[in-house]
């Protein structure tokens, strides 16, 4: 059952102030790595699953897509996404990815950023996306890395030298995880890397590239807070092809 935490006022206010929401794709340190995984969008029909404010949906059109559709569960997100464009070839719809219905072969590229860890049944969603793509189409997405998700959030442990460590708790126990992030009890679903990749393979995708995002030395010099991202992967980046 989808939680729709993004429509809770206190959550939405906190989330809206994040650098990646204020500055868009430029405020997301993993964006250069994600961008490098994307196919050429020229003339393509692009689908953005869990589009949020629609930063990528609009970027797709600005970078050659014939049209781009962003889908999200949150009315707040979709209202903001719609307010930020007048392009008739960019559209936004409210829908729950857990019950998604998409036209067969209606898209040439599917994309998603940091949304699938909210989805309980990723296998069904992967199958839905596959049938909605044309043969050879790419499906590129980021998801909270399961090592980050499985860590005993949000408290830290220290090793004998007093360095922070990230314990991975119950990595093999898949399913519901709760975290306190802008609101208490935010619901996410933990899956191992193997389950995520095997769900794609089971749905008929070929895996093309997998990255576990870590910032470059230059990014850390610019933003020392990113040093934490070297200690454990926070995001898994996947490129698959139909
Ligand atoms: C971390 S935000 C990412 C937003 C956007 N992709 C970005 O990178 O800026 C996750 C998004 O997933 C959406 N979401 C969560 N569960 C969903 C569901 N079941 N169906 C559709 N969207 C969902 C949320 O409303 C939110 O906009």
């Amino acid at each position: 059952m989808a939680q729709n935490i993004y429509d809770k006022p206190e959550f939405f206010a906190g989330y809206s102030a994040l650098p990646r929401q204020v500055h868009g794709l430029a405020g997301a340190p993993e964006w250069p790595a994600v961008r490098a995984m994307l196919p050429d969008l020229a003339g393509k029909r692009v689908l953005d699953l869990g589009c949020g404010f629609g930063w990528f949906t609009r970027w797709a059109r600005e970078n050659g897509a014939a049209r781009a559709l962003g889908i999200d569960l949150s009315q707040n997100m979709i209202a903001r996404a719609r307010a930020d464009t007048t392009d008739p070839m960019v559209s936004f719809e409210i829908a729950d990815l857990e019950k998604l219905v998409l036209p067969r072969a209606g898209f040439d590229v599917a994309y998603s950023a940091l949304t699938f860890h909210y989805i309980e049944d990723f296998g069904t969603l992967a199958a839905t996306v596959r049938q909605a793509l044309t043969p050879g189409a790419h499906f590129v997405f980021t998801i909270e890395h399961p090592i980050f998700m499985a860590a005993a959030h949000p408290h830290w442990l220290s090793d004998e030298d007093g360095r922070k460590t990230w314990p991975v708790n119950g990595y093999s126990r898949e399913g519901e995880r709760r975290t306190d992030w802008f609101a208490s009890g935010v619901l996410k679903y933990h899956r191992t890397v193997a389950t995520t990749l095997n769900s794609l393979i089971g749905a008929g995708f070929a895996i093309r590239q997998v990255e576990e995002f870590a910032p470059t030395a230059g990014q850390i010099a610019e933003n020392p807070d990113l040093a934490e991202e070297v200690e454990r992967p926070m995001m898994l980046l996947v490129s698959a092809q139909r």
Side-chain angles (χ1 to χ4, degrees), residues 45-139:
R45 298 162 299 168
V46 176
L47 175 65
D48 183 1
L49 298 159
C51 63
F53 287 178
W55 290 108
F56 175 81
T57 328
R58 292 188 298 277
W59 184 89
R61 262 293 282 170
E62 288 155 13
N63 285 272
R67 58 176 197 253
L69 168 65
I71 291 178
D72 202 284
L73 179 66
S74 157
Q75 301 195 14
N76 279 346
M77 291 297 200
I78 292 293
R80 168 65 195 273
R82 284 182 178 147
D84 280 354
T85 186
T86 53
D87 183 339
M89 301 314 277
V90 172
S91 50
F92 294 101
E93 283 174 18
I94 295 173
D96 182 352
L97 299 185
E98 300 272 18
K99 304 175 195 146
L100 195 60
V101 178
L102 293 169
R104 184 167 290 277
F107 299 92
D108 308 301
V109 177
Y111 171 89
S112 180
L114 298 176
T115 295
F116 293 156
H117 45 268
Y118 295 109
I119 302 303
E120 185 171 13
D121 184 353
F122 181 61
T124 296
L125 178 59
T128 302
V129 172
R130 186 185 180 278
Q131 66 80 41
L133 289 173
T134 45
H138 284 84
F139 180 22

Side-chain angles (χ1 to χ4, degrees), residues 3 5 8 10-11 178-187:
Q3 186 186 42
I5 197 81
K8 273 199 160 187
E10 73 274 20
F11 185 99
R178 297 270 173 179
T179 185
D180 294 342
W181 187 61
F182 298 133
S184 58
V186 177
L187 175 60

Side-chain angles (χ1 to χ4, degrees), residues 13-240:
Y15 181 80
S16 302
L18 288 174
R20 65 178 59 231
Q21 297 313 324
V22 175
H23 305 294
L25 300 172
E30 77 283 8
W31 171 242
V34 178
R35 188 179 174 169
M37 293 168 94
L38 288 167
D40 179 14
L41 299 185
K44 305 263 170 71
R45 298 162 299 168
V46 176
L47 175 65
D48 183 1
L49 298 159
C51 63
F53 287 178
W55 290 108
F56 175 81
T57 328
R58 292 188 298 277
W59 184 89
R61 262 293 282 170
E62 288 155 13
N63 285 272
R67 58 176 197 253
L69 168 65
I71 291 178
D72 202 284
L73 179 66
S74 157
Q75 301 195 14
N76 279 346
M77 291 297 200
I78 292 293
R80 168 65 195 273
R82 284 182 178 147
D84 280 354
T85 186
T86 53
D87 183 339
M89 301 314 277
V90 172
S91 50
F92 294 101
E93 283 174 18
I94 295 173
D96 182 352
L97 299 185
E98 300 272 18
K99 304 175 195 146
L100 195 60
V101 178
L102 293 169
R104 184 167 290 277
F107 299 92
D108 308 301
V109 177
Y111 171 89
S112 180
L114 298 176
T115 295
F116 293 156
H117 45 268
Y118 295 109
I119 302 303
E120 185 171 13
D121 184 353
F122 181 61
T124 296
L125 178 59
T128 302
V129 172
R130 186 185 180 278
Q131 66 80 41
L133 289 173
T134 45
H138 284 84
F139 180 22
V140 176
F141 66 87
T142 69
I143 186 168
E144 200 167 285
H145 197 293
I147 285 179
F148 177 79
M149 168 98 67
H153 52 82
H155 66 264
W156 298 87
L157 294 185
S158 303
D159 65 13
E160 61 276 17
D161 298 321
R163 282 184 307 230
K164 290 172 179 174
T165 61
W166 287 88
V168 175
N169 286 356
Y171 181 77
S172 302
R173 263 198 315 277
E174 299 189 302
E176 215 178 289
R177 299 283 167 115
R178 297 270 173 179
T179 185
D180 294 342
W181 187 61
F182 298 133
S184 58
V186 177
L187 175 60
K188 298 180 181 181
Y189 294 95
H190 168 64
R191 275 179 288 277
T192 63
V193 171
T195 295
T196 294
L197 300 183
N198 287 332
S199 299
L200 291 165
I201 294 166
F205 284 103
I207 310 290
R208 294 296 179 218
Q209 195 180 345
V210 178
E211 298 290 341
E212 292 163 295
F213 173 71
T216 62
Q219 284 180 311
I220 295 171
E222 242 173 62
N223 178 3
D225 286 349
L226 284 178
E228 198 171 284
E229 308 301 325
V230 177
E231 300 301 324
R232 81 288 174 269
M234 189 184 171
M235 286 173 213
L236 184 68
L237 281 49
V238 178
S239 167

